[in-house]
Amino acid sequence: MRTVQGAALDGLKARVRALAERTGLPVRSTRGEPRTHGGPTVPTRPTDRAVRTSRGGAPLADPGPAEPPPATETPARRASVSTPLRRQSAAPARTAALMAPTVSPTAATTVLGALGALLSGTGRPRTIRRRPDEVRASAAALRALRARHGDAPALVRTRSGKTLLVLLDPRDLRRFYTEPVTVLAADPPRKCRGLSTHEPDPDGEGTGCARGEQRAERRRMSADVLAPGQPVHPAAGPILTVVSEEARHLTAAGTLELARARHAASRAARRIVLGGPAAEDDEIPGMLTQQRAEDKRLRGGPRRAARSVHDKTRARILEYVRRAGEDTLAGRAARLADPAGTDGAVDPVDEARLWLLAMDAVPDTLLRTLLLLGAHPCEQDAAAAEAAAEVAAGPARGELPRLRACVRESLRLYPVVPDLIRITRAETEWRGVRHPAGTSVLLPAAFHQRDPERVPAAHVFVPGRWKNPGADQDIRMAPFSHGGGRCPGDQLALMITAAFCAEVLRGHRITGTRPVLDPVGPLPVTLDPHGVRLTLTRR
């Protein structure tokens, strides 16, 4: 005898099957009923391959016809950089095919797997979790392109249909860095324009973009506040005191992980930028993270929500900027800002927000540097000796040349921004080929910094390379970029990160690391800071 509930359930099943027939979606069958599928019935083919079966014996979906291996290439389909590249499935089973040493136009698209890190690099220099096989495939694809087409820039098309001009020869890098903004300018996508820190936005949109008339004023403020080119910042005394006090969080336990490093670095960043009272305000990092997320959703999303988050963050930072002392970055910026707020003036509140975002790279770089030193005991002992001698350095306190070289080498191996992209504003010529305005030019910085064909000991931790005269001007190495787009806070970032390393090594020794690195063999292509764990023992 049917119940009311049973009748209602049968009616619901009938409506679901009717909806599946209209939409063509599969219907999950109940126990004891055959599996149904919306849409027309497709007869089976006798010549199909045998398919796997589930535990109950029911056949699974046909995986489709077998595809030829990507290494095969027929004469009728000759690979060329000018030929649009086919879309390729991202199934894990085909990862090995992407890493094949043979040259394939589809494999060339893997060079763009790091574009997500590029977009984040325009603002918050955070670490993007990329699988090691993806990075290896990108480097292999770039080397394959260079082997087939020479050193000339290669024009490739991504899976999304975007065409990019990829620079494969270090001789083209100098031009990339030195071209003026009117010829080659940064142009992040609209959804990331709110994250742009020091590059102009063509239409002035976004919460963090600099208008054209602000560039000169921003450079002047950066020169006065961040002191680019000076190894020791004018306010090094108060800054190093903050680092020394906050470094106690790093060595409070016998182990050091990313969460502890972020806590200490974030507190230090708020004190250095906004002042001591901001150290206890743990809501500011959350506000910045929320604003960054809203800025990414600007494309096709609600601008009202992003504006609300921006206003809330700005109001909180403004409270600290008004009370910031002269020894803080915000206080120095407020003293130099135009009180009348004329057109083209730089807002110190927005600058303070950008500096806080930029310092998000400190904990990741700090943890990687200490991990590399833990895997190289001789380098660790030399760095610890320098840290111990630095206490009595007096006016020279903060230089730490050996530890700075270790930080630079860590950034060479694992850069914050692995790829750089620019947009041509006018018709340009590269190696005799003219490209129209609007062409995207990609510089794979991580590839050039670890290119074994051009860089000695490319995959080995060698801090001594940065002690050579002119190493900072080596166009192949770009931890902080070159030319007009060079990070104005490079020396300040090196001083802070090296000081954190010195505080750890001065009283502790790194006796165990996870992951375990080979001190002689090639280092891994990626190093996720989330998986790093250091064991500290007192000296």
Side-chain angles (χ1 to χ4, degrees):
M1 183 175 179
R2 297 185 64 190
T3 61
V4 177
Q5 293 83 352
L9 182 59
D10 292 341
L12 179 61
K13 292 179 180 179
R15 288 194 295 271
V16 171
R17 290 192 180 92
L19 177 62
E21 290 177 359
R22 291 195 302 269
T23 60
L25 296 176
V27 181
R28 183 175 181 179
S29 61
T30 59
R31 184 174 299 179
E33 296 183 3
R35 182 185 179 97
T36 60
H37 191 287
T41 303
V42 181
T44 58
R45 294 170 295 176
T47 57
D48 284 349
R49 295 175 299 166
V51 296
R52 296 182 295 112
T53 60
S54 63
R55 292 183 178 180
L60 301 178
D62 183 7
E67 295 183 4
T72 59
E73 186 174 332
T74 59
R77 295 180 57 189
R78 184 176 60 88
S80 173
V81 292
S82 60
T83 304
L85 301 180
R86 286 183 171 271
R87 298 173 63 91
Q88 179 170 346
S89 171
R94 300 178 189 173
T95 301
L98 291 177
M99 299 169 57
T102 56
V103 181
S104 170
T106 305
T109 61
T110 57
V111 65
L112 304 167
L115 282 183
L118 161 69
L119 300 181
S120 68
T122 58
R124 182 194 183 208
R126 64 186 179 184
T127 301
I128 299 299
R129 295 190 182 186
R130 298 159 60 194
R131 295 182 304 177
D133 54 350
E134 293 179 353
V135 182
R136 282 194 295 266
S138 299
L142 287 169
R143 287 194 294 270
L145 277 176
R146 189 165 61 188
R148 167 168 290 191
H149 304 287
D151 292 336
L155 192 65
V156 299
R157 180 171 296 175
T158 67
R159 295 167 181 167
S160 62
K162 184 179 179 64
T163 302
L164 291 175
L165 187 66
V166 183
L167 303 184
L168 304 173
D169 190 351
R171 291 177 294 178
D172 293 320
L173 307 187
R174 190 174 303 278
R175 178 183 176 184
F176 179 91
Y177 289 122
T178 58
E179 284 284 10
V181 177
T182 55
V183 178
L184 203 61
D187 187 16
R190 184 176 301 274
K191 66 178 181 180
C192 295
R193 284 176 182 168
L195 304 177
S196 180
T197 55
H198 295 283
E199 296 290 354
D201 188 10
D203 51 11
E205 296 182 2
T207 58
C209 300
R211 296 179 183 273
E213 61 270 15
Q214 290 182 329
R215 290 198 301 272
E217 181 65 24
R218 172 165 281 170
R219 288 171 183 166
R220 284 193 294 269
M221 178 174 287
S222 297
D224 293 333
V225 177
L226 303 179
Q230 300 184 32
V232 180
H233 194 272
I239 291 176
L240 294 178
T241 300
V242 169
V243 172
S244 177
E245 294 174 356
E246 298 300 335
R248 70 181 188 275
H249 298 288
L250 299 176
T251 57
T255 59
L256 178 58
E257 297 176 341
L258 182 60
R260 192 179 298 274
R262 283 183 173 175
H263 176 72
S266 180
R267 285 179 55 91
R270 295 196 296 274
R271 292 180 61 181
I272 293 171
V273 176
L274 301 177
E280 305 300 331
D281 193 343
D282 295 331
E283 294 184 358
I284 293 180
M287 291 180 177
L288 294 174
T289 301
Q290 186 180 4
Q291 180 182 346
R292 189 183 303 111
E294 292 294 341
D295 287 339
K296 286 186 176 182
R297 289 195 291 265
L298 281 179
R299 188 173 189 177
R303 289 181 176 269
R304 182 179 303 176
R307 180 58 59 184
S308 174
V309 174
H310 173 265
D311 293 341
K312 181 180 178 181
T313 307
R314 175 183 172 80
R316 179 65 64 87
I317 295 178
L318 179 59
E319 296 177 4
Y320 295 104
V321 172
R322 288 173 176 173
R323 298 178 293 171
E326 295 185 358
D327 56 344
T328 64
L329 300 185
R332 296 166 64 91
R335 188 175 68 252
L336 299 172
D338 185 2
T342 58
D343 190 21
V346 179
D347 185 4
V349 177
D350 191 42
E351 291 298 292
R353 179 184 67 88
L354 297 176
W355 293 332
L356 289 173
L357 288 171
M359 289 191 182
D360 279 352
V362 172
D364 295 2
T365 304
L366 167 65
L367 211 58
R368 290 195 183 104
T369 304
L370 292 176
L371 176 67
L372 291 169
L373 288 174
H376 298 78
C378 293
E379 289 289 347
Q380 181 182 174
D381 293 340
E386 181 185 68
E390 196 257 353
V391 177
R397 185 178 179 220
E399 290 187 357
L400 297 171
R402 180 179 292 273
L403 270 171
R404 288 186 182 225
C406 294
V407 175
R408 287 180 182 271
E409 183 69 354
S410 174
L411 289 172
R412 180 192 72 85
L413 293 166
Y414 307 104
V416 175
V417 184
D419 302 289
L420 303 174
I421 193 169
R422 297 290 185 267
I423 308 295
T424 58
R425 297 302 187 199
E427 185 182 64
T428 57
E429 181 178 336
W430 294 83
R431 301 290 187 95
V433 180
R434 291 187 175 274
H435 300 276
T439 302
S440 300
V441 183
L442 175 69
L443 190 156
F447 166 75
H448 287 288
Q449 291 180 167
R450 297 188 67 166
D451 185 5
E453 299 179 8
R454 310 293 173 90
V455 178
H459 299 292
V460 182
F461 180 68
V462 186
R465 76 174 81 237
W466 295 100
K467 299 179 182 179
N468 298 327
D472 189 54
Q473 303 301 322
D474 190 341
I475 205 66
R476 301 168 300 177
M477 312 298 179
F480 298 98
S481 189
H482 292 282
R486 186 181 181 92
C487 175
D490 56 347
Q491 295 298 329
L492 178 60
L494 286 173
M495 186 184 77
I496 294 174
T497 309
F500 267 119
C501 292
E503 293 293 336
V504 174
L505 297 175
R506 192 174 290 124
H508 296 79
R509 178 186 298 275
I510 303 173
T511 57
T513 64
R514 189 188 70 186
V516 178
L517 303 180
D518 186 354
V520 180
L523 292 170
V525 292
T526 59
L527 200 57
D528 186 2
H530 293 83
V532 175
R533 180 184 177 91
L534 308 178
T535 302
L536 306 179
T537 58
R538 289 193 174 274
R539 290 186 178 272

